[in-house]
Amino acid sequence: MYAPQDVGLVARPSEGGEVQSSAAEQMQDAARLVTNLQTESDGVDLVTLLRETPREAYSFQQLGWPSEIAATRTSELPAVVLERYSTRQSVCFCGVLPEINRAWATVDNALFLWRLDRPDDVPVEYSGEEQAIVAVGLAKPRPGVFLRTIDYVLVVATTVEVVLVGCAFGDGREGSTFDDELTLHALNYSCTTDDVVAKDIASTDGGRIFFAGDDEALYEIEYSSSDTWRQRRCRKVCHHSALPRMLPSILRLRAPDPLRQVLVDEHRCALYTRSESGVVSVFDLGASCVDPPKKVAEVRDVAA
């Protein structure tokens, strides 16, 4: 690039005896400054650098810090689960229910639950559904709806409906703990999913049940002690949907982005969802986690 040559001062004495720089010298100084800036930048702007920086360059784990997650022990799946898995026909999932110290696994339409602290524990099997089980959750029972012997409500989602199953420990008397024998009881509470596949289930301490749908919508399972002329005793309520379900796919401006996770933050009375593309949404549940979810924030392009 052409570099301006130094020129001599063109000055004249001012009335006060001071020497003033000429307009030509000021232009030469400005040209030198612009030339130096262009050389230092090397033709790359900040926006380009930020766009081309790989995601791995930003890490929440600082060097020298201990690992955020560490494996403490590893346990094999029970033999009956592995045997059923070897003959599976469709899908299988697994997870943990720390509230009752149980692990769970599904193979097709069968659900198994066993204790985490007993490697030789015999799993409890639930096979009351005809369709494949795709998600499992746990919730506290709403007061006055079920018998007092029901300690927790197991939420079982299949490809066509959501079913509530009662969990009881011991003989149902006071003093029973989660270390006692677990028994499952049919509650005859269920509702159709209307072709929506539940991807994840979460609940509040008050017994509210939410699930994330593959149609980008957030749903809640509401239930009461009996039916009314206006609504059934167990029903599905859609609280937020990113796209109208009746809108033809040809009219949608973007690809579908199903929800993958839902989580309740009881301390902040908030609910979070995460989609497959990494969109995290925050919903406010009110001061006591009893209000309808109200979307208050959204963060896009989070690592999926």
Side-chain angles (χ1 to χ4, degrees):
M1 181 176 291
Y2 169 76
Q5 302 294 327
D6 293 338
V7 296
L9 292 176
V10 180
R12 59 180 178 83
S14 61
E15 295 180 356
E18 297 179 354
V19 179
Q20 298 180 344
S21 298
S22 66
E25 183 180 0
Q26 295 177 4
M27 294 181 63
Q28 293 289 343
D29 292 340
R32 293 192 191 96
L33 179 60
V34 172
T35 300
N36 292 336
L37 290 175
Q38 291 179 344
T39 303
E40 293 175 359
S41 65
D42 197 25
V44 181
D45 60 346
L46 180 60
V47 175
T48 303
L49 289 175
L50 291 176
R51 288 177 177 175
E52 295 180 355
T53 301
R55 188 186 300 273
E56 291 76 10
Y58 302 95
S59 174
F60 296 104
Q61 181 68 27
Q62 301 297 326
L63 294 177
W65 285 19
S67 300
E68 297 179 356
I69 300 176
T72 57
R73 65 184 175 89
T74 303
S75 301
E76 295 289 338
L77 292 174
V80 63
V81 177
L82 294 176
E83 181 181 357
R84 190 70 62 86
Y85 175 78
S86 62
T87 59
R88 71 188 185 280
Q89 297 181 356
S90 55
V91 295
C92 55
F93 301 94
C94 62
V96 294
L97 302 173
E99 299 89 345
I100 60 174
N101 194 28
R102 296 300 194 279
W104 63 268
T106 65
V107 181
D108 299 329
N109 64 333
L111 169 64
F112 301 91
L113 298 101
W114 67 94
R115 288 186 56 166
L116 292 170
D117 56 345
R118 290 185 180 176
D120 57 346
D121 187 40
V122 179
V124 176
E125 182 178 355
Y126 171 76
S127 302
E129 307 304 321
E130 297 182 358
Q131 304 298 324
I133 299 174
V134 295
V136 175
L138 197 68
K140 293 182 178 179
R142 286 183 174 273
V145 178
F146 307 120
L147 296 177
R148 296 181 59 182
T149 55
I150 301 300
D151 298 302
Y152 270 92
V153 174
L154 192 66
V155 186
V156 180
T158 71
T159 55
V160 296
E161 64 179 353
V162 176
V163 182
L164 305 184
V165 181
C167 296
F169 296 88
D171 53 9
R173 294 181 298 182
E174 294 186 4
S176 299
T177 66
F178 299 140
D179 294 334
D180 295 328
E181 182 181 1
L182 167 65
T183 56
L184 302 179
H185 301 270
L187 300 176
N188 297 323
Y189 274 72
S190 64
C191 66
T192 179
T193 60
D194 298 320
D195 297 328
V196 176
V197 177
K199 308 298 288 187
D200 193 21
I201 301 172
S203 65
T204 67
D205 287 342
R208 299 181 68 181
I209 303 170
F210 299 94
F211 76 84
D214 67 339
D215 60 345
E216 307 182 44
L218 172 65
Y219 293 93
E220 180 176 2
I221 301 298
E222 297 181 349
Y223 64 93
S224 56
S225 58
S226 60
D227 294 331
T228 65
W229 66 274
R230 296 183 59 183
Q231 58 189 13
R232 300 185 59 184
R233 65 177 184 175
C234 187
R235 53 203 174 272
K236 172 177 63 71
V237 178
C238 180
H239 284 299
H240 180 268
S241 180
L243 290 174
R245 294 198 61 196
M246 302 304 296
L247 185 65
S249 58
I250 194 174
L251 299 179
R252 300 182 181 183
L253 302 180
R254 60 176 177 81
D257 189 19
L259 297 182
R260 290 291 302 274
Q261 286 182 302
V262 57
L263 176 68
V264 173
D265 185 347
E266 202 78 30
H267 178 70
R268 296 177 177 84
C269 292
L271 182 145
Y272 308 93
T273 62
R274 182 180 67 88
S275 69
E276 286 189 352
S277 67
V279 178
V280 176
S281 300
V282 184
F283 297 84
D284 181 21
L285 298 179
S288 302
C289 293
V290 296
D291 296 344
K294 178 182 179 182
K295 190 174 182 179
V296 295
E298 181 181 276
V299 180
R300 292 185 172 272
D301 198 25
V302 178

